[in-house]
Amino acid sequence: MNEEEKNKIIELQTLLAQKSMFNDPVFIGLQEKQTKLRGGKSKEEYSPVWYSEVEDDKGKTKKNINLYLLEEEIFQENHFLRDNFYKSGYRYDSQLGCWGDDFQDYLGKIIIDKFKSVGYMKNSDYDLIFKMVNKDIYKKHYQRVFEKSNPYLAHFKNGTFNIETGKIQPHNPDDYILEYRDYDLDTSSDKKTPITDEWFKQSFKGEAQFIMEFIGYCFARTYEPFQLFVIL
């Protein structure tokens, strides 16, 4: 068997392997996930500023990731916080509408997702961009923004309830809320609760309104309104 015949056999085997791979459910699932990471765009349509492909003199494609531009994109899409007081770091979850202390795990995931979106990754790039983001968001001086945030803002799934104004407002990273509630708050003015109201009246008599307000203030992230004992 001459060299040309060997090459044809190898080429045929490669084509058969590719055909089998393209019909494999696992491969199809990975392709769909990669498309989702690209925002629904095909590989040809998706062109992040931090990724480039260049052909050398021999026609070989060289892939490159600009870590500075990738870091800038990560900062534009996310809210992070890390200083001497919060050394492990926090990140804002835009889907939940509150802050979380899983910054390190979250950062690792979004970096890997970025690399998967272009189908290219080097361990050295991952390690470096992970260190870059951690270093560049770090602030030397204490901020303690979570302790200083407005304690009368209560998180709910459909927004942030302002206890002082009695109104619900959109989630905002600048509120610095860590607590999360996985249910909506119904603020309809015409919402009637006759069974609950009657139970409070029968249980607490003339103090029913006070107990309702006392329970309501439990949503406040401060003990300031609770400088008293309540004996039932």
Side-chain angles (χ1 to χ4, degrees), residues 3 60-61 69 83-84 105 118 134 138 144 180 214:
E3 194 67 27
K60 186 177 180 180
T61 301
L69 293 178
D83 61 16
N84 283 2
D105 292 336
V118 296
N134 263 281
Y138 184 81
R144 308 195 71 161
Y180 166 71
F214 188 83

Side-chain angles (χ1 to χ4, degrees), residues 80-102:
F80 299 135
L81 189 153
R82 182 171 174 263
D83 61 16
N84 283 2
F85 194 75
Y86 312 115
K87 289 185 178 179
S88 61
Y90 287 82
R91 62 99 178 188
Y92 181 73
D93 190 323
S94 57
Q95 292 185 330
L96 298 181
C98 63
W99 287 79
D101 60 0
D102 58 341

